[in-house]
Amino acid sequence: MLKVAVGHSEDPDSQGAIEEVLAQCIKALTGNLPQAGLLFAAIDFEHSLILQAINQMFPEIELIGCTTDGEMSSILGFQQDSLTLMLFCSDTVEIHAGVGYETKENPLTAAQQAVQQATENSSTPPKLCITLPASYTADGSITSSDAILSGLELALGSQIPIIGGMAGDQFRMQTTYQFCRTEVLTDALPVLIFSGDLQFSYGKGCGLQPIGNKSIVTKSQGTVLYEIDGKPALEFYQRYLGDRLPSPENGLAVYEQDSEYYYMRVPNSCDPETGSINFLCNIPEQAVVQVTESSRNEIIAAAETSLKMALENYPGTEPEAVLLFSCCCRRWILGTRAKEEFNLVKNVLEQTIPICGFYTYGEFVPMNLQGLNYYHQETFVSLILGTK
């Protein structure tokens, strides 16, 4: 059995918001006591007050969460400046929270801490890891998503799906917050690990379409891309964009080895003197890449692609919950049409299922069914949960 409840409030007052959210959840729980939860909150709430209120209501709850760039739920749909909570009850699924600290300086150690804490009280092996790491820390610096993913895989094993998103701060790009039980943190790696009688599936969609020829990254260092096919990266982009500067609307598709699967990387700024482009994540040398172009209709349609992929791969009969992770760059490109992503997903679901999610600063999901874990950008991720 897996019982799931969702609460969602757009009340700007922290006390009023959490009281409304908890009232909605308690009603949906129908007397069941939750063992775990996920909290997604806008940046300006009093987060410590909210966590204390949840802990007072459910003292033993295994809770993680983060700040966002927008929130989604089956209660209020797509919102900004809101608070949403998903709670889990089960007598056959084990769910445990863990957190690692100093993620920017020691991502491998932080991942080991988080996983060890989350698994030390579990009686069954991990099946699924949901993670909501820091992106921007208190000093405005950026954590390494690649290193975070590597650390989690070392601690869990590469065969365990890692799904989730980097914490956001409403596009301020300054400081993001993470939550674990009653702690409000700024440089942390929280995880929620599921084991036992769990059925789940996932899907992803992007909607940005590669154009032109595939090319090779011939010089890069960290997040800075210097050369593609031996020529300045900016010159490569201008071949397709003309005088327009690289932007999220023309992200870079990076291919997985020799396959047709690719993950996205977002250009952030460029240097006309050197011809280099700075991205929001590392670009490996010798990677095969293509520039992409975007259409709002295709970006929105990718949300449906993501959910349908998850539904087709779901091994159970009746899903109990849906979690959604969509990139802040998608919301930025879509503008006033951002709400259409959630509306499309909700219309695909034939029955009423609790839904919860947020707009992230980057997404974690395997490339395909039984595939390797990857860090993505500009991607819409769907996760379906249930039991046998």
Side-chain angles (χ1 to χ4, degrees):
M1 178 273 290
L2 181 65
K3 177 80 172 176
V4 181
V6 172
H8 197 171
S9 174
E10 53 184 343
D11 189 333
D13 176 71
S14 297
Q15 186 67 45
I18 190 56
E19 286 179 0
E20 183 179 4
V21 164
L22 287 172
Q24 292 169 350
C25 287
I26 289 168
K27 182 179 179 180
L29 288 171
T30 60
N32 291 285
L33 189 66
Q35 68 193 85
L38 291 165
L39 177 70
F40 305 130
I43 191 70
D44 291 322
F45 280 113
E46 296 178 62
H47 303 114
S48 58
L49 181 154
I50 290 166
L51 294 178
Q52 289 295 337
I54 296 171
N55 186 258
Q56 287 174 7
M57 184 67 67
F58 308 115
E60 302 299 322
I61 193 166
E62 299 282 307
L63 179 75
I64 68 167
C66 67
T67 51
T68 70
D69 190 50
E71 308 78 43
M72 297 174 274
S73 85
S74 45
I75 305 293
L76 294 179
F78 165 72
Q79 296 291 328
Q80 292 178 275
D81 301 313
S82 71
L83 181 74
T84 185
L85 174 68
M86 176 173 272
L87 298 178
F88 304 96
C89 311
S90 180
D91 54 2
T92 57
V93 179
E94 292 189 67
I95 312 171
H96 295 283
V99 65
Y101 305 95
E102 298 182 355
T103 306
K104 177 179 175 293
E105 295 299 327
N106 302 294
L108 301 185
T109 302
Q112 184 68 42
Q113 286 176 341
V115 170
Q116 182 176 346
Q117 190 181 125
T119 56
E120 62 186 2
N121 294 320
S122 179
S123 63
T124 51
K127 282 190 173 180
L128 170 70
C129 174
I130 294 177
T131 188
L132 310 169
S135 50
Y136 289 83
T137 60
D139 61 0
S141 58
I142 304 176
T143 61
S144 171
S145 50
D146 287 339
I148 288 169
L149 184 58
S150 295
L152 289 173
E153 286 193 320
L154 282 172
L156 287 164
S158 59
Q159 75 282 3
I160 303 299
I162 298 167
I163 297 176
M166 304 286 281
D169 66 349
Q170 220 155 348
F171 233 84
R172 299 172 191 178
M173 310 296 183
Q174 295 172 348
T175 304
T176 62
Y177 297 98
Q178 305 79 52
F179 318 132
C180 187
R181 301 181 183 91
T182 57
E183 288 187 286
V184 179
L185 306 157
T186 62
D187 186 16
L189 173 53
V191 300
L192 200 63
I193 294 181
F194 293 70
S195 61
D197 180 30
L198 179 74
Q199 301 274 38
F200 68 95
S201 61
Y202 46 83
K204 66 178 184 63
C206 176
L208 282 83
Q209 302 300 319
I211 57 175
N213 296 323
K214 290 182 178 179
S215 298
I216 304 292
V217 173
T218 46
K219 184 180 180 183
S220 66
Q221 185 174 359
T223 62
V224 181
L225 177 55
Y226 290 99
E227 293 180 3
I228 299 177
D229 289 342
K231 296 181 179 180
L234 192 55
E235 181 181 322
F236 173 80
Y237 254 87
Q238 288 172 336
R239 186 189 311 168
Y240 302 99
L241 305 185
D243 294 333
R244 285 189 297 128
L245 294 177
S247 77
E249 294 179 288
N250 299 98
L252 194 68
V254 184
Y255 285 83
E256 179 193 285
Q257 300 172 358
D258 296 327
S259 78
E260 291 302 307
Y261 295 108
Y262 59 86
Y263 54 91
M264 295 299 302
R265 290 293 178 259
V266 178
N268 185 35
S269 60
C270 58
D271 184 346
E273 290 189 10
T274 63
S276 64
I277 303 172
N278 188 29
F279 283 75
L280 292 176
C281 190
N282 292 351
I283 305 288
E285 285 190 353
Q286 300 304 308
V288 177
V289 296
Q290 276 182 290
V291 173
T292 65
E293 60 181 3
S294 59
S295 147
R296 286 169 178 79
N297 287 340
E298 289 181 344
I299 289 174
I300 292 167
E304 181 178 15
T305 300
S306 170
L307 182 66
K308 284 186 173 179
M309 182 186 301
L311 288 170
E312 288 169 3
N313 293 325
Y314 184 64
T317 53
E318 294 186 9
E320 300 294 342
V322 175
L323 281 163
L324 304 174
F325 306 94
S326 185
C327 186
C328 64
C329 291
R330 297 173 63 85
R331 188 192 63 75
W332 180 82
I333 294 171
L334 293 174
T336 57
R337 296 188 64 186
K339 61 184 179 183
E340 294 181 37
E341 283 196 316
F342 177 83
N343 292 339
L344 195 58
V345 164
K346 192 170 184 181
N347 290 338
V348 170
L349 295 169
E350 296 179 357
Q351 67 268 52
T352 302
I353 298 175
I355 308 170
C356 195
F358 77 104
Y359 279 81
T360 79
Y361 280 3
E363 305 75 52
F364 298 98
V365 70
M367 187 66 76
N368 50 57
L369 190 66
Q370 306 300 329
L372 298 175
N373 292 299
Y374 274 86
Y375 172 69
H376 303 258
Q377 295 174 323
E378 300 195 279
T379 299
F380 191 100
V381 175
S382 303
L383 173 63
I384 295 176
L385 301 173
T387 58
K388 295 179 182 178

